[in-house]
Amino acid sequence: MSTGTRETVAPSDPGPGHPALSRRRELGQTSARSLLLTVLGEFVLPRSESVWTQVLIDVLAGLGVEQKSARQALARTAAEGLLSSDRAGRRVRWSLTESGRRLLSDGAARIYGFGAASPPWDGRWLVVLVSVPESRRQLRHRLRTRLAWAGLGSPSPGVWLSPDPAKQDEVADVIADLELDGVTSSFVGTFGAIGEQPEVVAQAWDLAEVEAAYEEFIAEFSGADPVTPADVLAHQIHLVHAWRRFPFLDPKLPGELLPRQWAGARAAALFDTLHARWDRQAQQHWHQLVSSVR
């Protein structure tokens, strides 16, 4: 691998059967920074070593990211306080900051723990009532984003719910952070005699959209069989990158509230199988790339 500066890096041809995103989908749904965070979380976080710029640029090039975009992603991630840099002559190497490690560690815990089986449901719901004026749109957006990330759904304006009362502490942190304590109340209890739970679920979450995303994931990675170490590395990154959106999309409801033959269970099994199958070779190839640039 060259350690010099190159003007352009052509995207590599993923070859037949590669689960890489199409160019149109990549431009629409995948940013260079987002892919960089996946690479950092999968290969840099488990280690304490720094990584040269060229290693990251070459790996991202293998995922279809142009060199200019890769450098911009590095600069943006550093500006956000997630990466720090140091120079050795004209070359730069990057390390995760403490903030970067916390962010990626939290993400890794969600990604790898997301497919685990849930304990039996006791039938209790957490209901949160929060009133934010329509005029404060930015605050409403932040609240919606963070509660959705926590897995809550909203069947009607100002009402959020989850079949996991244990999320109450996480929700309380969000409410406190957004300074909404004075306009928020919460309740925990079982569903009453009025109405039907499936109707409430349908109003709070679009499970059809979530299941379609799972089916797309299954179709994209089923039958994938990378051969070369570089191809295995690219497959592993795309696998994790595609999977990391599901903790945000899927509220992970109890089986009693899900459609029959829920695609999420099949997708989780596929992710676990492929990640375990490719992990050792992907990590070895990453180590070789890092070791070859000194």
Side-chain angles (χ1 to χ4, degrees):
M1 181 183 300
S2 171
T3 60
T5 301
R6 295 197 292 258
E7 293 299 321
T8 59
V9 179
S12 63
D13 180 4
H18 195 291
L21 305 174
S22 68
R23 187 61 177 162
R24 184 173 68 176
R25 181 180 166 200
E26 181 179 354
L27 288 172
Q29 299 184 17
T30 304
S31 68
R33 177 184 173 279
S34 183
L35 278 170
L36 173 62
L37 290 177
T38 298
V39 172
L40 294 175
E42 188 71 6
F43 300 103
V44 179
L45 179 64
R47 299 168 170 83
S48 58
E49 58 190 359
S50 302
V51 183
W52 294 108
T53 300
Q54 198 60 54
V55 173
L56 295 170
I57 287 178
D58 286 345
V59 170
L60 290 173
L63 304 172
V65 177
E66 297 178 353
Q67 185 183 61
K68 180 180 179 180
S69 297
R71 291 186 180 278
Q72 290 174 341
L74 279 167
R76 180 182 172 189
T77 305
E80 292 172 344
L82 305 180
L83 285 174
S84 61
S85 63
D86 64 273
R87 287 187 172 273
R90 297 180 60 186
R91 297 192 298 160
V92 177
R93 56 190 173 190
W94 302 87
S95 303
L96 288 170
T97 63
E98 188 59 36
S99 295
R101 287 194 168 275
R102 284 199 303 269
L103 177 73
L104 294 178
S105 294
D106 178 67
R110 288 182 180 269
I111 289 170
Y112 299 116
F114 183 70
S118 301
W121 185 42
D122 63 4
R124 295 189 304 151
W125 289 86
L126 166 65
V127 180
V128 179
L129 308 181
V130 54
S131 176
V132 182
E134 176 64 30
S135 59
R136 304 189 66 184
R137 293 184 179 180
Q138 186 176 6
L139 179 59
R140 287 167 67 96
H141 175 72
R142 292 174 63 194
L143 176 68
R144 181 169 59 251
T145 299
R146 294 185 63 177
L147 291 185
W149 172 248
L152 277 72
S154 180
S156 61
V159 179
W160 291 86
L161 51 83
S162 168
D164 182 4
K167 291 183 181 293
Q168 190 163 197
D169 289 343
E170 183 178 358
V171 173
D173 289 341
V174 172
I175 297 301
D177 189 44
L178 298 180
E179 299 181 350
L180 292 170
D181 309 70
V183 293
T184 304
S185 302
S186 65
F187 305 87
V188 173
T190 57
F191 199 85
I194 302 173
E196 300 290 339
Q197 289 189 128
E199 292 300 323
V200 174
V201 170
Q203 293 167 11
W205 296 281
D206 189 348
L207 293 184
E209 180 182 8
V210 176
E211 187 152 41
Y214 276 129
E215 294 287 4
E216 182 182 4
F217 177 88
I218 293 169
E220 187 174 3
F221 290 97
S222 292
D225 188 22
V227 177
T228 67
D231 217 14
V232 172
L233 179 71
H235 273 71
Q236 186 78 317
I237 294 169
H238 278 299
L239 178 77
V240 175
H241 191 75
W243 186 253
R244 58 179 270 201
R245 63 184 174 138
F246 286 111
F248 182 80
L249 290 177
D250 185 355
K252 200 174 182 182
L253 302 178
E256 294 90 335
L257 302 176
L258 292 172
R260 292 184 178 180
Q261 298 181 334
W262 176 242
R266 290 182 284 120
L270 178 63
F271 173 78
D272 290 342
T273 297
L274 294 182
H275 191 275
R277 181 182 302 168
W278 297 336
D279 185 60
R280 182 176 180 181
Q281 192 170 3
Q283 294 289 342
Q284 287 177 341
H285 187 61
W286 171 267
H287 179 71
Q288 291 174 359
L289 293 176
V290 172
S291 299
S292 67
V293 182
R294 294 297 184 186

